[in-house]
Amino acid sequence: MSLLSISRWPIDDAGVPAIDGAESFADLVDKLSQYFQHTINLPHSFEDYRTSQHGRALHPLIDHLSNQVHHPALVSALLALKGHFSALEETSDEPGVNQARGYACEFVAWQFLNSLTDRDVIDFLLLELPPTPSPDSEPSSRPADHSHQNGQRTVQSNERTPLLDVANSDYFGTRSDDATNPRFGSLKSRCENLSALEIAAVGGAKKFLSQRPIQKVINGLWRGDIVFWETLSVNSVKRPRKYNRKQTDPFSRLRVPRYLKVFETLFFAIFLALYYAVLVRRDQERVTIPEILLYVWIASFAYDEFADWVDAGQTSFYASDFWWMWDISIVVVGMTFCALRVVGLSNGEMDTIDLAYDVLGLEALFLVPRIFSLLSLNPYFGTLIPCLKEMTKDFVKFLSLVLILYLGFLTTFVLLARETFKPQEMSWILIKVFFG
């Protein structure tokens, strides 16, 4: 009878986990996790690690990672571990300890990046974790050209070589099976197809994201100084690199977030104009040209949202955008209007046509705020967005308690006034009382 293998904490002379660069992502996270659990036992803030002696306990690990470890998924592992500790904090019996460990992960990741060149910082932050290869996956039919340099194994690639070769995914230390690690095997699956920067956004590593090296990369992505694509051809390879005017296709600049935001604003402006043109006219008998264009805009917006979801790699990263609920609501309301409109015109039912326009009227609740999402780029309004998000969560929690009280009062008054008021009348009276 074989015993379950448990990953142990290998310790070298410096008292830090021994990382040889060939570990799987789950094993790497496991080693780092045991180190932080062993080292951090008291609550601390991120500023404590920066300005006080509490950060000295992490300096041996930082020096070891900076000088002796060359694992490409190291920053991703630290930031994934930050999200893991944040999740443990919610159910922990030691308040603040797991949060302190999460801050320690952010601090170590930040200090590690400070020791790298700009080129290496871009690679560590923007290269995506590959999906775990299936056991029955066939090896690549085209042999890769391998060489050794400075004692490390490298792969010679050209422009047609995939960014992450699944058959040779040991670049990210995934040669061993992550499923053998019972603690963090599932964490690897949640981080697949995400870069370290995206993992930080999903895991709420705000302290890490606010540091100067990371902000420099984020601003470079926004301005287009750092790009992923050199051409728009189907054979182009996604790889983070600095923008080179002489080598980059000018049309690939359409992918730059700054320009995409401008095009998005123009798109929503036309969308809103078509919306008002259709809703104000309310043609009951035929489909007008503005209505046809509105259908095209709704379909294109739905396709764009689906493409964004696919490009996100993980649903958690797609949902990290504050406006994703508005976008989904715009698509749902628009599709509902289209369906009701087709049914009403096909059967000649005026009530269904009126209902379709009433449903379309709900679109303004999501479309008008969405077009003003450009204000989130302003430093003042941008800081209000997270506040609004948290206030919405608290409002929903409070509304659930009000709804419970409403159901209790509704049951009581419906029974007491059963000979005077109908249940529908009493429910409407209580709605006015509870919700104004």
Side-chain angles (χ1 to χ4, degrees), residues 107-169:
F107 179 76
V108 172
W110 167 45
Q111 293 296 317
F112 172 75
L113 292 179
N114 282 336
S115 65
L116 303 178
T117 62
D118 291 344
R119 175 68 256 184
D120 291 335
V121 170
I122 293 174
D123 288 338
F124 272 95
L125 286 179
L126 300 181
L127 287 179
E128 298 177 353
L129 290 175
T132 304
S134 58
D136 56 348
S137 61
E138 297 180 359
S140 176
S141 59
R142 183 172 55 198
D145 184 14
H146 301 280
S147 62
H148 290 76
Q149 182 178 1
N150 296 331
Q152 295 183 4
R153 183 173 177 269
T154 60
V155 180
Q156 301 295 333
S157 61
N158 52 38
E159 63 179 1
R160 293 179 178 271
T161 305
L163 175 60
L164 300 174
D165 188 1
V166 175
N168 299 281
S169 56

Side-chain angles (χ1 to χ4, degrees), residues 16 69 83 98 102 136 200 223 242-243 249 266-267 279 320 333 374 385 413:
V16 295
V69 177
N98 281 304
D136 56 348
R223 295 190 302 263
K242 291 188 176 181
Y243 172 63
D249 184 354
L266 295 176
F267 177 87
L279 194 60
S320 64
V333 173
L374 187 65
I385 296 299
F413 284 102

Side-chain angles (χ1 to χ4, degrees), residues 290-332:
E291 186 174 346
I292 295 176
L293 294 176
L294 181 63
Y295 294 150
V296 173
W297 248 249
I298 293 174
S300 61
F301 183 71
Y303 176 79
D304 183 68
E305 279 304 303
F306 177 75
D308 288 344
W309 176 74
V310 173
D311 291 341
Q314 293 281 354
T315 304
S316 57
F317 179 66
Y318 172 78
S320 64
D321 182 14
F322 175 78
W323 299 103
W324 76 273
M325 290 186 293
W326 271 259
D327 295 339
I328 296 298
S329 300
I330 290 173
V331 174
V332 171

